[in-house]
Amino acid sequence: MSTAGRMAIGDAMDRLVRGGLPVRFTAYDGSSAGPPDAEIGIHLRTERGLSYLMTAPGDLGLARAYVSGDLDLVGVHPGDPYPLMSLLKDHTNFRVPAPAEALRLARGLGLSHLRPPAPPPQEHLPRWRRAVEGLRHSMTRDAEAIHHHYDVSNRFYELVLGPSMAYTCALYETPEATLEEAQFAKFDLVARKLGLRPGQKLLDVGCGWGTMVRHAAREYGVKALGVTLSLEQAQWAKEAIDREGLGDLAEVRHLDYRDVVETDFDAVSSIGLTEHIGVRNYPSYFSHLRDRLKPGGRLLNHCITRPHNRRTETGAFIDRYVFPDGELIGSGTIITAAQDAGLEVQHNENIRLHYASTLRDWNRNLLASWDECVAEVGEGTARVWGLYIAGSRIGFERDEIELHHVLATRNHEDGRSEFPMRPDW
């Protein structure tokens, strides 16, 4: 206890970590924990930060304190918590105290800190509040979730994603490849897997800023239609199409994929949409995309997956700050849903390590443009992105999450798929 009868925050931290912290922890009350000579550390600046940690133990409380500026990193850039998070993940073993001990700790730190402060403005509503306002994965609620994450600032995304404006996993054909080279390679691989040829029709659902649509039109002479729920993405994509003189081949609409009525597409690409639609909607999703294809047409589904097929929610930080209502599942569930919708799955590929490299390069862009990013969206949102990129990178490196390409065909009634005997890309 301190002289005022309160427990030192550093002492409480020591009690909650088996084996001690691998980093230096300091707090506004002058207390500390962890090795004094550690190069990386955490500083708790305010009582509000302590309240965040006490009222939302785990990643949500830490995120709230960090995003609000009540928790600072020491020895690392505020936009790059990757080194700190890696150390904590490898060498920290937090324990859950028994109820009686938890009460003693709370009293020692001050019961007033059990009153939750208002969350940072970057935080989305909790799942139960969203449920009150609309059915999960209804068109209205999906549109709001997409707006929360994607309609932040096109300029911010230009700074972080780079000229490709591709917010999906790239493909690094060599370790030395740049982010732009890797994004081009990814879209070209999708095009080759789909067997695109001049004069064909492509539908790209969840098209983002229209990069796949423009790639297909520019590189393959394909008439491409993209749809996105983000108005800012659609507007940016239309301007890019006009700049590149692709208006006769490429089109992007501000539209839910479920509202696409055209059919007879030679190919459908879905690059980073499945994470947003909800696992229970997979049957209707794949059926809808199958019905958009002509017989012999191909579907390429590119999405983040889990290394298992158990239904699990995303963590509180990801759900509240990054992808509200996002759901991930294993590639086996995706393949099953595609098959049950009448598609023949021809190929499945996991490129998870490429996503770790992609996130590394997005973080380099974020750091290189940190001051401009902060000026554009505020330091809180920039910190959200640093946390999100670092945590996701660790997840892909350690096979906690994966990235799968599932390629399927809509066959003719007699079973012909028009797919080659062996992959030709």
Side-chain angles (χ1 to χ4, degrees):
M1 292 286 188
S2 70
T3 56
R6 290 284 180 89
M7 176 179 291
I9 300 170
D11 291 344
M13 186 65 70
D14 269 334
R15 295 188 187 191
L16 293 172
V17 181
R18 292 191 180 95
L21 280 168
V23 300
R24 185 66 169 168
F25 172 85
T26 57
Y28 61 86
D29 66 352
S31 65
S32 61
D37 58 348
E39 295 182 359
I40 297 177
I42 307 169
H43 178 64
L44 183 63
R45 298 179 59 243
T46 67
E47 290 200 45
R48 183 177 66 175
L50 179 60
S51 296
Y52 279 137
L53 299 182
M54 290 180 63
T55 55
D59 67 340
L60 183 59
L62 284 166
R64 285 172 171 170
Y66 182 63
V67 170
S68 65
D70 297 308
L71 186 72
D72 281 339
L73 308 184
V74 179
V76 294
H77 191 283
D80 185 19
Y82 175 82
L84 172 68
M85 294 174 71
S86 295
L87 268 176
L88 291 175
K89 190 171 183 66
D90 285 335
H91 303 290
T92 307
N93 185 9
F94 285 101
R95 67 182 184 85
V96 179
E101 182 185 4
L103 180 58
R104 286 196 300 272
L105 285 169
R107 283 175 173 162
L109 293 171
L111 292 175
S112 63
H113 293 113
L114 293 178
R115 267 196 306 274
Q122 293 82 5
E123 184 171 319
H124 199 49
L125 295 172
R127 289 187 180 97
W128 70 269
R129 283 280 303 279
R130 282 175 251 155
V132 171
E133 298 185 0
L135 185 66
R136 191 172 191 178
H137 297 300
S138 65
M139 289 188 177
T140 300
R141 185 162 157 182
D142 278 353
E144 171 56 30
I146 294 299
H147 169 73
H148 174 82
H149 186 65
Y150 292 97
D151 291 345
V152 175
S153 158
N154 281 334
R155 179 56 185 157
F156 175 77
Y157 282 109
E158 289 172 349
L159 293 168
V160 176
L161 303 182
S164 67
M165 285 296 275
Y167 189 20
T168 48
C169 177
L171 185 81
Y172 291 75
E173 295 182 319
T174 67
E176 299 77 28
T178 67
L179 175 62
E180 292 307 304
E181 291 168 342
Q183 289 293 10
F184 183 96
K186 181 270 299 299
F187 289 113
D188 211 60
L189 176 63
V190 171
R192 297 198 310 275
K193 284 183 173 181
L194 290 172
L196 296 183
R197 300 186 303 276
Q200 288 187 328
K201 290 169 54 184
L202 168 72
L203 171 64
D204 185 38
V205 293
C207 69
W209 291 271
T211 313
M212 181 65 203
V213 167
R214 289 180 286 119
H215 186 97
R218 184 181 60 247
E219 304 295 329
Y220 289 84
V222 168
K223 190 170 182 60
L225 168 64
V227 296
T228 173
L229 272 177
S230 167
L231 179 59
E232 289 202 19
Q233 285 182 337
Q235 292 171 339
W236 192 99
K238 290 174 183 176
E239 292 171 2
I241 288 169
D242 291 340
R243 281 198 308 271
E244 295 185 30
L246 297 172
D248 57 334
L249 289 175
E251 179 187 0
V252 167
R253 298 177 192 165
H254 178 222
L255 190 70
D256 192 295
Y257 79 93
R258 289 165 283 195
D259 286 331
V260 176
V261 296
E262 291 94 331
T263 58
D264 290 327
F265 287 96
D266 298 279
V268 174
S269 54
S270 176
I271 305 174
L273 173 63
T274 320
E275 300 91 329
H276 298 287
I277 67 171
V279 175
R280 68 178 178 84
N281 291 323
Y282 283 4
S284 59
Y285 164 78
F286 281 108
S287 294
H288 183 80
L289 298 188
R290 177 192 178 276
D291 291 345
R292 308 280 74 74
L293 285 168
K294 63 171 58 174
R298 300 184 191 183
L299 163 66
L300 189 286
N301 197 85
H302 162 129
C303 76
I304 302 170
T305 57
R306 296 216 184 268
H308 57 76
N309 289 279
R310 299 184 295 275
R311 292 286 291 271
T312 53
E313 298 277 10
T314 57
F317 168 69
I318 291 292
D319 182 65
R320 304 264 189 110
Y321 285 87
V322 186
F323 294 119
D325 290 340
E327 294 181 58
L328 303 179
I329 197 75
S331 60
T333 301
I334 293 169
I335 289 171
T336 298
Q339 291 173 326
D340 288 348
L343 295 160
E344 182 182 9
V345 174
Q346 302 287 355
H347 190 265
N348 178 34
E349 181 177 9
N350 180 10
I351 58 172
R352 72 172 173 89
L353 290 178
H354 294 264
Y355 217 153
S357 297
T358 306
L359 289 154
R360 174 203 64 203
D361 287 347
W362 287 345
N363 185 251
R364 287 174 179 171
N365 286 346
L366 176 66
L367 297 185
S369 304
W370 180 255
D371 290 343
E372 189 174 351
C373 287
V374 169
E376 185 68 26
V377 298
E379 183 162 356
T381 297
R383 285 187 175 211
V384 166
W385 270 76
L387 277 177
Y388 153 60
I389 289 174
S392 298
R393 179 181 170 187
I394 291 170
F396 282 106
E397 287 175 342
R398 301 176 188 221
D399 196 24
E400 295 168 0
I401 41 179
E402 300 175 347
L403 193 290
H404 276 84
H405 275 192
V406 174
L407 179 63
T409 53
R410 175 181 179 175
N411 294 351
H412 293 267
E413 289 188 5
D414 61 6
R416 286 181 298 115
S417 68
E418 300 185 27
F419 198 79
M421 294 287 283
R422 295 287 299 160
D424 56 2
W425 55 84

